[in-house]
Amino acid sequence: MIYTITLNPALDRQIWVEDIKYDESNRIIRETTYAGGKGIDVSRVLANFGADNVALGFVGGFSGEELEGRLLNDGVRCNFTYISTNTRTNIILNDEKTKSQTLFNAMGPEVQPQDLMRLIKQIQNLPNPEYVIISGSLPVGVQPAFYNKLIDTAKEIGATVVFDTDGKAMKVGLSSKPHIIKPNIHELERLVDKKLKDIPEIAQEARSICKKGINIVLVSMGANGMLCVSSTEEYWAFPPPVNVQNTIGAGDSSVAGFVLALKEGKSLKEALAFAVAAGTATTTRPGTAVCLPEDVEAIYPNVTFRDVV
């Protein structure tokens, strides 16, 4: 069983306007709402592929009920920890004229200490935990050390732990040695506190992280593809050219594709190619982490590889 943990999920409200005019009234030409959050995005993609998984995390209020209801309609199994305050709503503004996308991310509700412990006890009793994917930002009032507790607990029950977050939370969480991490290039630069100018330098930093006890480092680099580094293997994969409509959730789709491929027994190189195909497939459709199997299957054979150094 695959479990995803999203501590600070959101309703993602996507709005499209023809041409943003500042200090004027703008007419919305269409809009839609998705259940969002990095782990939730992963769960949605896994569900699209028929992979058995359960979404965990904190939700609250009417917006939390809407989020869970939308996920159930998407075929995602949920077992959320309910809190007393409302789940946040993010706004994603799309300008049709410029083809630009602007994100307004809300802070989210404050989570109480007793809520944290209810989630920990739930994780301690998860049935058949093969993979636990911990990703996304921390709620208000929750310190990065809570990620250490989550990672340690997931490892204690025998799960392979995938960790995907940013900033101080990533730095602190690494001390618990999750098995797999998936920073994008900007998150990796913040993790190592330096600008990385080329692939050899990026690969070297990934190797250094592996030496600290991380089994696999995946680095997504947008148009420059995705790098995968372990203690014994290194691959650099590129997607084919596609018509990009949306980038929200592409990295989460890559995580889902990578874990799904590993669970099915694919090699590290094959899993990387599947991750790249899943992330790329998401960019070809509007909406948050909309990754369809038929799109992935069409892209997967066209993923190419280059030498790391």
Side-chain angles (χ1 to χ4, degrees):
M1 176 71 76
I2 302 172
Y3 296 92
T4 67
I5 300 175
T6 309
L7 299 183
N8 198 19
L11 286 172
D12 284 346
R13 185 185 177 201
Q14 288 224 35
I15 296 171
W16 285 262
V17 298
E18 190 65 42
D19 178 17
I20 297 176
K21 295 179 175 65
Y22 296 94
D23 296 322
E24 293 186 33
S25 177
N26 289 271
R27 183 177 297 278
I28 296 172
I29 56 177
R30 70 181 188 276
E31 63 179 287
T32 188
T33 302
Y34 297 88
K38 292 181 71 63
I40 283 171
D41 291 346
V42 174
S43 273
R44 184 187 293 107
V45 174
L46 290 170
N48 286 345
F49 279 87
D52 206 11
N53 79 99
V54 179
L56 310 175
F58 298 116
V59 296
F62 289 116
S63 55
E65 290 182 353
E66 180 182 352
L67 182 146
E68 184 167 4
R70 289 183 177 277
L71 284 177
L72 291 174
N73 275 337
D74 288 340
V76 177
R77 293 174 59 190
C78 311
N79 192 7
F80 290 118
T81 300
Y82 266 78
I83 59 176
S84 59
T85 45
N86 273 308
T87 294
R88 62 186 175 139
T89 299
N90 296 330
I91 305 297
I92 303 163
L93 181 60
N94 299 276
D95 188 320
E96 292 283 80
K97 181 178 180 180
T98 63
K99 302 301 180 184
S100 62
Q101 195 173 62
T102 305
L103 280 64
F104 299 90
N105 289 332
M107 290 179 63
E110 185 169 352
V111 176
Q112 300 300 317
Q114 60 269 28
D115 299 325
L116 301 180
M117 293 314 301
R118 284 194 292 136
L119 179 60
I120 291 298
K121 290 176 182 177
Q122 182 184 15
I123 295 168
Q124 289 172 335
N125 293 290
L126 291 178
N128 190 28
E130 297 173 271
Y131 287 87
V132 171
I133 301 167
I134 304 167
S135 53
S137 61
L138 288 163
V140 175
V142 178
Q143 298 303 309
F146 185 63
Y147 272 136
N148 294 112
K149 183 63 175 177
L150 284 177
I151 294 166
D152 291 342
T153 303
K155 289 172 69 176
E156 286 166 4
I157 61 174
T160 296
V161 179
V162 183
F163 189 46
D164 182 12
T165 188
D166 190 14
K168 184 178 180 181
M170 175 64 91
K171 290 183 178 182
V172 171
L174 280 189
S175 64
S176 288
K177 297 181 176 57
H179 301 96
I180 303 168
I181 66 169
K182 207 285 307 164
N184 63 36
I185 180 59
H186 307 296
E187 292 164 347
L188 181 63
E189 288 176 338
R190 287 188 282 270
L191 178 60
V192 301
D193 294 317
K194 63 185 287 191
K195 195 76 176 174
L196 302 173
K197 63 180 184 296
D198 54 29
I199 291 298
E201 198 167 288
I202 296 168
Q204 185 54 50
E205 293 298 337
R207 293 182 198 113
S208 297
I209 293 170
C210 285
K211 290 178 181 177
K212 296 176 182 178
I214 311 302
N215 292 1
I216 298 171
V217 178
L218 286 173
V219 185
S220 55
M221 302 175 291
N224 287 320
M226 182 175 289
L227 185 70
C228 178
V229 175
S230 74
S231 59
T232 58
E233 299 175 75
E234 296 181 2
Y235 303 105
W236 180 17
F238 273 80
V242 296
N243 178 25
V244 175
Q245 296 191 42
N246 166 71
T247 59
I248 306 300
D252 306 323
S253 297
S254 294
V255 170
F258 190 75
V259 170
L260 180 61
L262 290 181
K263 189 175 184 299
E264 292 177 348
K266 288 183 168 59
S267 69
L268 192 60
K269 186 176 183 180
E270 291 170 329
L272 176 61
F274 204 79
V276 169
T280 304
T282 292
T283 68
T284 66
R285 293 183 181 268
T288 302
V290 179
C291 178
L292 302 181
E294 58 266 31
D295 294 338
V296 178
E297 290 164 7
I299 293 170
Y300 177 69
N302 298 307
V303 174
T304 58
F305 289 85
R306 298 185 188 178
D307 293 334
V308 175
V309 291

